[in-house]
Amino acid sequence: MTLENDPLVARMQGFGTTVFAEMTALAIRTGAINLGQGFPDTDGPATMLETAAAAIMGGANQYPPGPGLPELREAVAAQRADRYGLTYDPAEEILVTVGATEAIAAAILALVETGEEVVVFEPYYDSYAAIIALAGGVRRPVTLRPDGGRFTFDPEELRAAVTPRTRVLLLNSPHNPTGTVFTREELEVVADVCREHDLIAVTDEVYEYLTYDGPAAHVPLATLPGMRERTVAISSAGKTFSVTGWKIGWTTAPPRFVRAVQTVKQFVTFTASAPYQRAVAYALREEGKWAEDLRVALRAKRDRLSDGLAAAGLTTFRPQGTYFAQVDVRPLGFGDGREFVTALHERAGIVAIPTQVFYDSDAGDPYVRFAFCKRDEVIDEAVERLHRL
Ligand SMILES: *Cc1c(COP(=O)(O)O)cnc(C)c1O
């Protein structure tokens, strides 16, 4: 090795700048409307923000305990119990992390041996592929395909993806970027596969509150028979309370899994930011109404953007959850998503994400993802500009 060569380790080659960073930089540089990266352009509940500020001014500025502040672990336990009837011991079954991203990373690094396989639905959240690669694991994608206006999987394809080397099934529901909220029937199939092959399920539930076909539409996989004991569930405050910059997440799982994840986590970050943990504990206890109001507001934004995308002639998949709506760009004569987003930026001054970057296969080529977690004026302006295409 010389200093002139690319110093990046081989297993991370191909994971350069994330497409979100690239698209956000493009939007900032050119003043385009950024419907690429999924972050809200309004703040979370004021009393939560005040709690964080007061925690900083009140001296909560040194290392909190490695597993997280007890008050936050207790608030997470209460939330899982009240919302889903799932009970977790705050002392042994809950770990606070630096966002869901760190929880996912630490879980995969802790649970997947070199050469073992991780089954994941594609399109997948971009950190999944990178972290599986970093763990020396192998991803086994199962493609979500349009079926009746939403994206879902073929149970036979899921079963066929599992091999004797499969260790983990990584499930994201509500699903980014398709907006699918997996139904109980779909989750039964997933649970069957996990039980039959003795897999660990890692569930990314960061959009657990953001479902638009009713507040209770999200079904945690751990609530299905025989699944709590094999599920490492992950969520975070970022999407629920519109504080994606705070990076407070958590894992709930049986003790041996929490210990494994914490073994990795302690050497990556040791612990997560103390004042924000305190504020999120407060929000989980007191701001359920705010989160419900956000859900209702986002449902209206979903419709606002989806209607606009459809009116522009794009095949639009009205999402059941999350921040995102997907479109098929072919009706407007574009060959694929990349070609579309380039034209969208040049002609309409809008940045969006070509979904093909979240696939191993070419099944995602015609799709583009738009974020609707934006102020109504921003959505309206974008919809207006879509007509320039
Ligand atoms: C935003 C997002 C995350 C990251 O959550 P953080 O708490 O910000 O780390 C993880 N998974 C999915 C699917 C997301 O959309």
Side-chain angles (χ1 to χ4, degrees):
M1 196 205 85
T2 70
L3 288 179
E4 283 73 47
N5 292 340
D6 184 348
L8 185 64
V9 292
R11 60 191 182 280
M12 289 304 286
Q13 292 287 340
F15 296 101
T17 317
T18 79
V19 65
F20 308 114
E22 199 184 307
M23 290 301 175
T24 293
L26 179 68
I28 290 170
R29 201 167 63 242
T30 62
I33 298 179
N34 187 2
L35 302 187
Q37 198 169 15
F39 60 86
D41 55 4
T42 51
D43 265 331
T47 45
M48 177 189 72
L49 307 181
E50 282 156 12
T51 304
I56 291 173
M57 296 316 289
N61 300 308
Q62 308 309 328
Y63 295 128
L69 285 184
E71 66 189 88
L72 178 52
R73 284 181 278 144
E74 277 154 26
V76 169
Q79 185 262 2
R80 295 305 274 184
D82 294 348
R83 212 171 157 84
Y84 308 117
L86 285 165
T87 54
Y88 288 94
D89 175 0
E92 287 195 282
E93 298 189 308
I94 297 177
L95 173 68
V96 176
T97 56
V98 180
T101 308
E102 189 197 30
I104 295 160
I108 297 297
L109 288 167
L111 302 172
V112 178
E113 234 16 297
T114 305
E116 286 185 335
E117 295 172 357
V118 179
V119 169
V120 57
F121 292 102
E122 71 169 10
Y124 40 73
Y125 187 61
D126 72 331
S127 82
Y128 298 178
I131 211 67
I132 293 166
L134 197 57
V138 178
R139 64 179 180 273
R140 284 264 174 185
V142 176
T143 305
L144 298 174
R145 295 199 173 80
D147 179 14
R150 66 194 278 278
F151 285 72
T152 188
F153 62 94
D154 174 345
E156 286 318 309
E157 285 183 29
L158 173 59
R159 292 199 182 94
V162 178
T163 79
R165 301 211 45 82
T166 309
R167 177 74 170 150
V168 165
L169 187 147
L170 176 49
L171 175 80
N172 169 219
S173 182
H175 184 263
N176 170 8
T178 64
T180 289
V181 179
F182 285 80
T183 62
R184 187 172 291 281
E185 293 65 38
E186 288 164 338
L187 294 171
E188 290 287 0
V189 174
V190 171
D192 254 358
V193 168
C194 291
R195 287 184 303 245
E196 188 179 325
H197 298 275
D198 201 22
L199 307 183
I200 302 166
V202 175
T203 61
D204 176 346
E205 306 179 29
V206 299
Y207 297 103
E208 62 183 306
Y209 285 74
L210 304 183
T211 62
Y212 308 125
D213 302 329
H218 171 61
V219 179
L221 191 63
T223 60
L224 273 64
M227 290 307 293
R228 185 196 181 284
E229 66 209 55
R230 60 175 71 250
T231 298
V232 176
I234 291 166
S235 192
S236 90
K239 310 292 162 56
T240 302
F241 297 113
S242 297
V243 282
T244 61
W246 280 17
K247 302 298 292 186
I248 298 296
W250 49 85
T251 294
T252 50
R256 65 186 204 287
F257 291 122
V258 164
R259 278 196 301 273
V261 177
Q262 196 185 344
T263 301
V264 172
K265 183 259 179 329
Q266 69 187 334
F267 298 118
V268 180
T269 55
F270 175 56
T271 189
S273 170
Y276 298 122
Q277 288 193 53
R278 190 175 284 177
V280 170
Y282 163 80
L284 280 175
R285 285 193 314 263
E286 306 291 342
E287 296 290 0
K289 168 76 167 61
W290 188 94
E292 171 59 13
D293 290 347
L294 174 67
R295 184 184 79 80
V296 171
L298 280 170
R299 183 173 55 198
K301 291 177 191 296
R302 169 201 65 175
D303 292 336
R304 214 175 182 97
L305 180 65
S306 301
D307 291 346
L309 292 167
L314 295 155
T315 304
T316 304
F317 299 92
R318 192 173 299 256
Q320 301 167 298
T322 78
Y323 279 171
F324 307 107
Q326 283 230 113
V327 297
D328 182 335
V329 302
R330 287 173 296 189
L332 288 190
F334 291 92
D336 76 350
R338 277 188 194 280
E339 188 188 322
F340 176 86
V341 298
T342 303
L344 184 71
H345 179 246
E346 284 170 2
R347 292 190 223 154
I350 301 171
V351 163
I353 303 284
T355 315
Q356 66 205 84
V357 299
F358 308 128
Y359 286 78
D360 288 324
S361 75
D362 58 12
D365 288 3
Y367 305 121
V368 168
R369 188 194 84 171
F370 289 83
F372 55 80
C373 49
K374 307 292 175 184
R375 284 173 289 121
D376 288 346
E377 313 85 272
V378 175
I379 296 173
D380 290 345
E381 172 67 21
V383 164
E384 181 63 38
R385 291 191 196 180
L386 280 171
H387 296 291
R388 296 186 201 160
L389 278 173

